[in-house]
Amino acid sequence: MFAFLLNRLAHAVLVLLVVSILAFTLGNTVGDPVASILGLDATPADRAALRARLRLDEPVVLRYFLYLGDLLSGRLGNSYGAQRPIIDLLAERIPATVELALAALLLSVAIGVPLGVFAAAHPERRLVRFLMTSSVIGVSVPTFILGIILIFTFSLTLGWLPSFGRGEVVKFEYWSTGYLTASGLKSLIMPAICLAIGQVALVARLARAEMMGVLRTDYIRFARARGLSDRAVNFSHALRNTLIPIITVSGIQLGYLVAFAVVVEQVFQWPGMGTLFLQALSQTDVPLISAFLMAAALFFVSINLVVDLLYAIADPRLRIRTLTHGAGG
């Protein structure tokens, strides 16, 4: 188990190193931070002084190693636009994005798993075919269009839900949550649904495929021969053996939801990391852009690592195969 853990940690470090190179490269190609900070009316002397202070006149390789050293030491620097420590900006925005992603994940599992079980148990029903076709349509509709439709329907037309913002939040030290207030929960509904639609289709199709494989096994036939009801067979026996891949994919998807909630946050003006990232892009805020990419990668890699470990604990064959392939390579 320790060797398996070291193997996964090595992969995680490699991924973070590659992302750091990409973040550094992107941060140095999106524009001129000196012009963004000083404006177009600054004198050449002021520009040169600021460039020297930001160490932008150093060789690219040296600047990358300085950047990597700052990351390892936790010195993310100050935002060019907000003129505040980046670590403080991220601490303010991370709770909103994480809670939105968690809500979307819970919705996708709560809807997708029963839908997949029903589709596997009744594959020939017209309703099942309709639902599976609708799931493809749901994935195909762009997220921003779906968000606009939700806002028009439930906010502008019916007036049931707020169209933007996070609502009232409760703060606990460095974490703020809207889960504990009525306005926070109402504000969460539409963004969470918008972000979850595509994941519902993914979870439903995965659950359907896994269930159809399990329902063909001998022990399921034996359970039916004992006279157990379809409900007991589907949910007490078959579903239990499909949960590991569903949990694994759901954990990985949580990383995707956090990293790619940018569009949903922009549509609903959700004060999360995605909105902060778009603001950083518009202001050519290089340190903040790089910090966002690294934070998203770190979260994604951490989730993957936890999921791999849980999967290995649940299924020892996985870590044996991983170590065998690693030794053979």
Side-chain angles (χ1 to χ4, degrees):
M1 187 65 181
F2 182 70
F4 176 82
L5 178 60
L6 287 180
N7 181 275
R8 288 308 187 194
L9 284 174
H11 286 142
V13 171
L14 179 61
V15 170
L16 290 175
L17 184 62
V18 172
V19 173
S20 72
I21 296 174
L22 295 176
F24 175 80
T25 304
L26 178 62
N28 285 273
T29 56
V30 294
D32 185 8
V34 173
S36 177
I37 296 173
L38 296 180
L40 299 177
D41 299 329
T43 64
D46 292 338
R47 292 174 181 272
L50 181 58
R51 189 172 293 277
R53 182 164 62 87
L54 298 177
R55 308 194 73 168
L56 297 176
D57 54 351
E58 302 282 359
V60 175
V61 176
L62 176 59
R63 284 162 50 200
Y64 171 72
F65 281 107
L66 291 173
Y67 166 76
L68 193 61
D70 288 340
L71 286 179
L72 293 176
S73 61
R75 296 192 304 269
L76 301 179
N78 291 330
S79 165
Y80 291 165
Q83 292 297 309
R84 292 179 56 198
I86 292 176
I87 192 69
D88 292 343
L89 293 175
L90 292 179
E92 292 174 358
R93 301 299 186 103
I94 285 175
T97 296
V98 171
E99 290 194 351
L100 173 60
L102 283 175
L105 181 65
L106 290 175
L107 278 176
S108 64
V109 172
I111 298 173
V113 171
L115 182 60
V117 172
F118 178 76
H122 309 283
E124 301 301 324
R125 287 195 181 184
R126 292 182 178 179
L127 177 60
V128 170
R129 295 175 181 175
F130 171 76
L131 291 174
M132 290 295 103
T133 303
S134 301
S135 68
V136 175
I137 296 174
V139 174
S140 303
V141 176
T143 305
F144 70 92
I145 292 180
L146 180 61
I148 292 172
I149 293 173
L150 290 174
I151 291 174
F152 179 80
T153 303
F154 295 102
S155 182
L156 298 180
T157 303
L158 299 176
W160 291 352
L161 299 171
S163 61
F164 65 92
R166 196 182 174 197
E168 183 181 358
V169 298
V170 177
K171 289 190 175 182
F172 298 96
E173 295 294 336
Y174 297 105
W175 194 269
S176 62
T177 178
Y179 286 173
L180 302 179
T181 66
S183 63
L185 291 175
K186 288 179 64 176
S187 298
L188 182 65
I189 292 174
M190 286 198 296
I193 291 175
C194 189
L195 189 59
I197 290 296
Q199 305 307 313
V200 168
L202 174 66
V203 173
R205 288 182 172 276
L206 176 63
R208 176 176 176 268
E210 293 291 333
M211 278 287 295
M212 291 185 72
V214 172
L215 290 175
R216 298 190 186 100
T217 57
D218 291 337
Y219 83 91
I220 293 296
R221 296 191 184 99
F222 179 72
R224 293 188 188 280
R226 289 169 53 199
L228 296 178
S229 65
D230 289 341
R231 182 182 181 86
V233 170
N234 292 335
F235 287 94
S236 297
H237 290 74
L239 180 59
R240 184 180 303 171
N241 289 277
T242 66
L243 286 180
I244 288 181
I246 292 174
I247 292 173
T248 302
V249 171
S250 298
I252 294 173
Q253 287 304 113
L254 178 60
Y256 279 110
L257 291 172
V258 170
F260 299 107
V262 177
V263 176
V264 173
E265 291 187 2
Q266 183 67 11
V267 170
F268 293 95
Q269 291 299 293
W270 189 261
M273 290 177 61
T275 305
L276 184 66
F277 177 64
L278 292 178
Q279 292 172 356
L281 282 178
S282 65
Q283 299 172 354
T284 322
D285 198 336
V286 176
L288 188 52
I289 293 171
S290 300
F292 170 84
L293 294 176
M294 289 305 302
L298 180 60
F299 188 87
F300 185 77
V301 167
S302 301
I303 291 293
N304 275 332
L305 184 61
V306 171
V307 168
D308 283 342
L309 291 176
L310 292 178
Y311 203 178
I313 292 172
D315 187 359
R317 295 171 300 175
L318 178 68
R319 61 175 180 266
I320 293 173
R321 287 197 301 268
T322 301
L323 293 176
T324 302
H325 292 322

